[in-house]
Structures are given as C-alpha cells and as structure tokens.
Amino acid sequence: MPPQQTTPQGTSPVTTASPARLVLISGMSGSGKSIALHALEDAGYYCVDNLPPALLHAFFIETCKVQPSSLIAISVDARSAASFSVIPQQLAALRDSGVEIIPLFLDASNEALMRRFSETRRKHPLTQSGSNSQVQDLHDAIQRERALLADFRDSAHVIDTTMTRTAQLRTQIRELLAITRQQITLVFESFAFKRSVPTDADYVFDVRMLPNPHYEPALRSLTGCDAPVAEFLQQQPKVTMMQQHIGDFLRYWLPELARDHRSYVTIAVGCTGGQHRSVYLVEQLYKDFATDWVCLKRHREMELARSV
C-alpha cells in the first residue's frame, strides 16, 4: 500500500501515488550543493533550495499532493542552522509515515573551498560586514560553517568533492540514488595518499607497505584493473593477507553498522599513487562483497586522470 502521511499536529493523512522519497542535502558552501540539486532535478526530483527546516514536514506533505512521483530533494544550509534542531523531529515524522529519507552532506577541504571562492569571487553566505559582524573573513566563515553543520554531517552520507569534477559528482549522485536501499550500501574507493585522504571515508586502509608494481617496468604504465598487475599482486602473500584482513574486519562489523541504521559505508584503500595496489584491492573487495551487499566502487585518481 502507498504510504499515508500525517503531520506532527495530526492533520488529515495524505496518500502518495508512488513510494515517497526525500533527499535532504546540506553541506559546505562551495562544495557542490547546487550541482547535486541540478543532478536530482534532471533525474525527475522536485527540488527546492534553502528551505527553512521547520517547514520540511509540511512542505513535503503538501508537495506530494501535486507531485505524482513523490521524489523530492530539499537543500538546507548554514543560514538556517539556528533551526537545525527541529530536523530530527521533522524527519522522524516523515519516516513514521513511510517516507524514505536520504540525508546527503557535500564537503571539501578548507583549501579547496577557499580556492573556489577566490576563483568565482563569490561572497560566502556567512561572511558579513560592519562593526557587529561575527565573521570577518573567508577562513573564519568556513570554520564557523563547519561547526554549525557538524551534527547534520554526522548523521548523513558524506560526499567529498575536494578532487571531484562536476561530471563526476553528478555521476556519484545518480549512482547513490539509483539504489533501492534495503540494506547498507558499501562504497569502495581507491586513492593516492599524496593527494590527501578522502574526507568522506568511514574506514581508511593504508596499503603502502605492500609490494609495489610501480617498480616493475612492464607494469608501471598499467593499473590494478589490468590482468598483468593483478597477476603480480596475486602472487604476493602480503597482498592476499591484507585483502583477507580487510574483508574479515568488514564482515564482523557490517552487521553492527546495519543494526545502527547506517545507510552507506565508505571504505577507502590508499597507496602512494592510487594506480596499482589500492585499485587492485578495491576491485577484489568489490567482488568479495557484491554477492551479499549492495556495492559501488570508485577509483579516484583514475577518474581524475580521465577527466583531464
């Protein structure tokens, strides 16, 4: 049966024509929230930017009356942070009425955010002028925004856009939301430590101590997706041991995370260049877990190289 929805005040129920989903987006200014909303709009979502959190439940109910798809995306940002405390209650009421809630948080490093504001010459929304201003410069505005959004970030799926181009972010959004979330979705990601650790990672595994195909001339230009590199690494006992240890760790703790109502878990595997060892292990872990879990995989450095 389609979900019936009632407001917290007990007003008349609303029945949607199809399963209802709310994607609630927040994140750091300059991290790509507008790109995410545009991607959702292209996917058929009814999108609203910067809705006051206190209106979430009422707005969703009223919108479902006129939107037959019942796919709605709402962006909230730090300008409404003073009323963020009402979000858990608003979302709980929607969940109780059968609505699927997907909270997303777009993030990026402070350096990346400052560079983007410098390049676009846009003003940060928390930057004020005048003698009564609490925020005087861009760095302070970013730090204040992080503090204001910290609680929402902790409860959402985080997407790190520090090294993500527009097309890549749109693809990630589409992949995440194409999945019917009946269980945890595992996101396996390879990366290079020399380009920083992904901030959206729930678990980070360092595999730089493993034998490196980079030092084999015939393998240097290849990646962990190529058969010769895979064959080389499969012959290394420590690589097999690392794969087994990571797999055992995840198999032990994933059921606990599922009981804690987690929706996404990002497992980042890093090596020096993000081309061989980390790529190979992500490919193997993806194969190991895809039979029992919903899985996605990303190779950050390879995707960056293709987008240049």
Side-chain angles (χ1 to χ4, degrees):
M1 293 179 62
Q4 285 193 333
Q5 302 163 355
T6 57
T7 66
Q9 293 76 25
T11 56
S12 58
V14 175
T15 301
T16 61
S18 60
R21 172 186 278 185
L22 169 63
V23 180
L24 185 61
I25 302 175
S26 190
M28 300 297 293
S29 300
S31 63
K33 297 193 302 295
S34 296
I35 295 170
L37 271 182
H38 291 157
L40 290 167
E41 189 172 29
D42 291 344
Y45 283 74
Y46 183 81
C47 297
V48 177
D49 191 13
N50 198 27
L51 184 77
L55 301 180
L56 278 172
H57 189 283
F59 177 84
F60 189 93
I61 297 299
E62 293 303 313
T63 304
C64 282
K65 294 178 181 179
V66 296
Q67 293 293 321
S69 69
S70 299
L71 298 175
I72 299 172
I74 296 174
S75 172
V76 294
D77 63 33
R79 289 171 290 183
S80 303
S83 57
F84 267 35
S85 60
V86 306
I87 289 180
Q89 178 186 4
Q90 298 279 315
L91 297 184
L94 289 171
R95 284 193 179 98
D96 288 344
S97 60
V99 179
E100 180 188 12
I101 308 293
I102 303 178
L104 295 180
F105 188 92
L106 281 293
D107 201 356
S109 68
N110 288 1
E111 293 76 12
L113 295 174
M114 294 186 72
R115 183 179 67 252
R116 291 170 189 175
F117 274 100
S118 176
E119 291 171 351
T120 62
R121 300 188 179 182
R122 292 183 58 213
K123 185 178 180 180
H124 191 285
L126 295 187
T127 302
Q128 304 174 16
S129 59
S131 59
N132 296 325
S133 173
Q134 295 180 344
V135 178
Q136 298 295 331
D137 59 35
L138 178 58
H139 180 268
D140 288 344
I142 291 173
Q143 292 297 99
R144 183 178 178 219
E145 186 175 39
R146 284 204 182 282
L148 290 171
L149 298 178
D151 288 342
F152 186 95
R153 188 187 193 280
D154 289 343
S155 63
H157 175 65
V158 180
I159 299 178
D160 178 11
T161 69
T162 301
M163 305 183 70
T164 303
R165 299 179 185 275
T166 298
Q168 292 173 286
L169 178 57
R170 293 173 69 92
T171 298
Q172 289 185 25
I173 295 291
R174 287 196 299 267
E175 288 178 345
L176 288 172
L177 300 183
I179 296 171
T180 301
R181 298 189 307 145
Q182 298 175 340
Q183 58 175 319
I184 286 180
T185 297
L186 306 182
V187 182
F188 293 100
E189 179 176 10
S190 66
F191 71 95
F193 272 96
K194 67 181 183 181
R195 293 182 180 270
S196 77
V197 177
T199 61
D200 56 353
D202 296 292
Y203 298 102
V204 177
F205 295 96
D206 183 352
V207 300
R208 287 175 291 183
M209 76 293 292
L210 299 179
N212 192 351
H214 175 80
Y215 296 111
E216 300 293 327
L219 304 178
R220 182 171 300 178
S221 62
L222 304 178
T223 75
C225 293
D226 294 315
V229 174
E231 291 171 3
F232 171 85
L233 291 172
Q234 286 166 359
Q235 295 171 7
Q236 310 300 321
K238 290 184 178 180
V239 175
T240 302
M241 185 181 300
M242 176 66 75
Q243 180 182 337
Q244 183 66 47
H245 285 175
I246 296 174
D248 289 345
F249 175 86
L250 294 175
R251 289 185 186 91
Y252 184 87
W253 289 108
L254 284 176
E256 296 297 324
L257 292 169
R259 280 190 280 272
D260 196 39
H261 305 290
R262 292 288 297 273
S263 299
Y264 295 95
V265 176
T266 299
I267 302 100
V269 182
C271 61
T272 306
Q275 299 291 328
H276 298 105
R277 295 164 291 182
S278 60
V279 171
Y280 169 78
L281 282 168
V282 161
E283 290 289 325
Q284 299 308 307
L285 291 166
Y286 176 87
K287 292 177 183 177
D288 289 346
F289 283 85
T291 55
D292 299 314
W293 300 83
V294 179
C295 296
L296 298 172
K297 61 182 176 180
R298 303 183 197 136
H299 299 301
R300 190 182 74 179
E301 315 309 331
M302 292 170 58
E303 292 173 4
L304 282 171
R306 285 197 296 265
S307 64
V308 174

